[in-house]
């Protein structure tokens, strides 16, 4: 096969998964509308925004435009390029995780140092690490396929790398990102052929580790207790969740109407980021939430279907990358929805493709562009063409 890269310029509509693209665009469009709706009161009352009601809308619109432009560019890049740069992308993301902890480079917000202050833009390295881990785990599994069932040669090196990443994330701290990254990485190792007993042992170790992290942190313990009974302290540790549940209750079947939320009027904290789904529930009701859930289910199911098609064509890196993207986006969406609905403790994770935030939106669209490229190459190979 020629090593010349084949780009996807002028590809006919039938040659990529339009349903996947439209599902992502619909979620992003809905997110843009809901970010504006949920942030109006906050923006109007803030000196930081210049009391401009459309401040978050304008910034999110810019973020979305950049993300779409980046996605188009990434779609033109062959999948084997991502395999070749996967280790370097991971090292770059790791360096950014270190940089964010350096005073003067990292910016602290609400007690967490998660953002790098660069000219005109802030970057959240943990978001970049999510994509980097997917690419690195896919490349690692393909390279180590012959020894994946060996604990010493297959699992242990990856476990050591993930412990380093976990330590850096806990220094920020960003426990939510740690959970998503760890689960995504080890699910990919399992999909790539990890020994079943090693996987079960690893699940037990992760569960024990997460439990220890919770027990050793009074802050996390408060979140757990607040999640179990938010009404016991509705003005303290249960404040966010109690107001999210009120928003869900007010929405009923069809919602109170777009823009008519009461909870976003300085009652529900982080309404345009972590708790965006609660505002969707209040304004658009069960119907709006069901639509959001349905679109995420479709994206995840298509990611696994695309990965399966790549596997049938012996494109193992592409297959694992596609399924890893599905696990990552699906798991993060599941956690965010569970937190909003009171089914999981508060984690500080945004809703992919919808919540306000430039780094997350950019990385999500780049990941989906890689997924669409994998599907495009699958279809090219099915037609007997080189990809």
């Amino acid at each position: 096969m020629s090593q010349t890269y084949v780009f996807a310029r002028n590809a006919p509509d039938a040659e990529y998964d339009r349903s996947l693209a439209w599902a992502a665009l619909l979620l992003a469009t809905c997110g843009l509308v809901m970010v504006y709706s949920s942030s109006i009161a906050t923006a109007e009352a803030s000196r930081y925004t210049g009391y401009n009601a459309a401040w978050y809308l304008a910034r999110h619109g810019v973020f979305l435009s950049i993300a779409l432009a980046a996605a188009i560019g990434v779609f033109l890049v062959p999948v084997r390029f991502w395999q070749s740069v996967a280790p370097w992308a991971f090292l770059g993301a790791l360096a950014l995780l270190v940089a964010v902890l350096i005073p003067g480079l990292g910016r602290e917000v609400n007690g967490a140092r998660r953002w790098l202050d660069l000219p005109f833009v802030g970057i959240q390295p943990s978001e970049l690490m999510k994509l980097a881990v997917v690419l690195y785990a896919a490349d690692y599994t393909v390279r180590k396929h012959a020894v994946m069932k060996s604990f010493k040669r297959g699992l242990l090196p990856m476990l050591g790398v993930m412990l380093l990443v976990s330590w850096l994330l806990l220094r920020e701290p960003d426990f939510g990102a740690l959970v998503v990254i760890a689960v995504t990485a080890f699910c990919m190792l399992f999909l790539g052929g990890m020994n079943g007993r090693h996987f079960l042992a690893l699940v037990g170790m992760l569960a024990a580790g997460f439990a220890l992290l919770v027990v050793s942190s009074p802050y996390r313990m408060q979140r757990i207790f607040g999640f179990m009974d938010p009404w016991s302290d509705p003005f303290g540790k249960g404040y966010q969740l109690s107001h999210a549940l009120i928003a869900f209750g007010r929405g009923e079947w069809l919602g109170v109407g777009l823009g008519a939320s009461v909870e976003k009027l300085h009652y529900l904290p982080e309404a345009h980021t972590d708790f965006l789904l609660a505002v969707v529930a209040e304004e658009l009701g069960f119907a709006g939430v069901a639509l959001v859930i349905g679109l995420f289910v479709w994206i995840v199911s298509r990611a696994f279907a695309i990965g399966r098609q790549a596997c049938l064509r012996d494109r193992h890196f592409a297959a694992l990358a596609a399924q890893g993207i599905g696990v990552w986006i699906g798991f993060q969406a599941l956690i965010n929805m569970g937190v909003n609905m009171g089914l999981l403790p508060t984690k500080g994770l945004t809703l992919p493709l919808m919540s306000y935030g430039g780094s997350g939106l950019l990385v999500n669209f780049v990941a989906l562009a890689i997924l669409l490229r994998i599907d495009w190459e699958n279809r090219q190979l099915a037609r007997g063409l080189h990809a």
Side-chain angles (χ1 to χ4, degrees):
M1 181 182 295
S2 171
Q3 292 301 309
T4 303
Y5 289 166
V6 179
F7 293 93
R9 296 189 182 98
N10 303 319
D13 288 349
E15 293 190 1
Y16 71 94
D17 192 333
R18 287 187 293 180
S19 66
L20 173 61
W22 279 112
L25 287 172
L26 187 55
L27 281 172
T29 302
C30 180
L32 182 67
V33 173
M34 295 311 302
V35 162
Y36 180 44
S37 177
S38 61
S39 65
I40 292 175
T42 303
E44 281 183 331
S46 175
R47 184 178 178 181
Y48 175 74
T49 64
Y51 310 105
N52 179 3
W55 193 85
Y56 288 103
L57 170 67
R59 287 178 63 87
H60 195 70
V62 171
F63 295 153
L64 183 56
S65 300
I66 294 172
L68 286 171
I72 292 171
V74 167
F75 178 69
L76 302 177
V77 179
V79 174
R80 62 177 175 271
F81 169 81
W82 297 109
Q83 184 174 5
S84 68
V85 302
W88 303 107
F90 180 79
L91 288 174
L94 196 65
L96 291 176
L97 285 182
V98 173
V100 80
L101 300 175
I102 299 174
L105 291 178
R107 172 164 52 92
E108 187 172 322
V109 178
N110 297 329
R113 189 182 293 273
R114 302 177 185 174
W115 290 267
L116 274 177
D117 265 337
L118 300 178
F120 308 110
V121 67
I123 296 177
Q124 193 169 355
S126 60
E127 292 293 337
L128 304 180
M129 180 55 80
K130 292 172 186 175
L131 177 58
V133 159
V134 168
L135 298 176
Y136 179 72
D139 176 59
Y140 177 88
T141 305
V142 171
R143 287 189 286 108
K144 298 280 189 177
H145 180 70
V147 295
M148 277 306 296
K149 295 191 180 297
S150 165
F151 177 80
K152 184 177 180 180
R153 299 176 62 191
L155 175 60
L156 191 58
M158 188 66 176
L159 184 59
V161 168
M162 291 310 300
L163 285 175
L164 174 60
V165 172
S166 301
W167 180 75
L168 289 172
L169 288 171
L170 288 174
R171 290 291 304 275
E172 295 186 6
D174 195 344
F175 187 64
L178 167 60
V179 172
V180 171
I181 288 171
V183 169
T184 301
F186 291 118
C187 279
M188 291 180 67
L189 291 181
F190 177 72
L191 292 169
M194 179 197 293
N195 183 292
R197 288 175 301 183
H198 292 165
F199 180 73
L200 291 176
L202 185 62
V203 169
M205 289 170 55
L206 287 175
F210 290 151
L212 181 62
L213 288 171
V214 170
V215 172
S216 63
S217 170
Y219 171 70
R220 296 189 187 104
M221 284 292 288
Q222 285 183 356
R223 283 192 167 188
I224 293 292
F225 287 124
F227 147 73
M228 293 172 65
D229 186 11
W231 307 110
S232 64
D233 187 11
F235 297 105
K237 58 181 178 287
Y239 183 80
Q240 281 183 305
L241 180 54
S242 61
H243 281 281
L245 294 176
I246 291 171
F248 271 86
R250 292 192 74 244
E252 298 186 350
W253 289 100
L254 298 177
V256 297
L258 185 62
S261 167
V262 171
E263 286 302 315
K264 69 184 182 185
L265 302 177
H266 307 290
Y267 295 105
L268 180 63
E270 310 297 338
H272 59 299
T273 55
D274 300 355
F275 284 88
L276 185 70
L277 189 69
V279 179
V280 173
E282 186 177 4
E283 296 190 350
L284 305 181
F286 174 81
V289 174
L291 175 62
V292 170
I293 293 174
L295 290 171
F296 275 112
V297 168
W298 182 252
I299 288 174
V300 173
S301 66
R302 290 307 304 150
F304 274 84
I306 290 168
R308 187 166 56 249
Q309 289 298 316
C311 188
L312 291 175
R313 292 174 174 81
D314 294 325
R315 305 178 64 226
H316 300 298
F317 171 83
L320 285 169
Q323 293 173 347
I325 290 169
V327 170
W328 154 33
I329 291 179
F331 187 65
Q332 181 168 332
L334 180 67
I335 290 180
N336 179 273
M337 292 174 184
V339 167
N340 276 254
M341 296 178 187
L343 302 176
L344 293 171
T346 305
K347 282 288 186 295
L349 283 172
T350 56
L351 189 60
L353 298 169
M354 294 187 67
S355 292
Y356 174 81
S359 298
L361 197 61
L362 175 63
V363 173
N364 291 157
F365 268 90
V366 167
L368 288 173
I370 294 173
L371 183 60
L372 284 168
R373 174 71 194 203
I374 293 170
D375 177 63
W376 182 86
E377 291 186 5
N378 286 344
R379 296 176 189 232
Q380 292 298 102
L381 291 170
R383 290 175 170 84
L385 302 173
H386 292 312

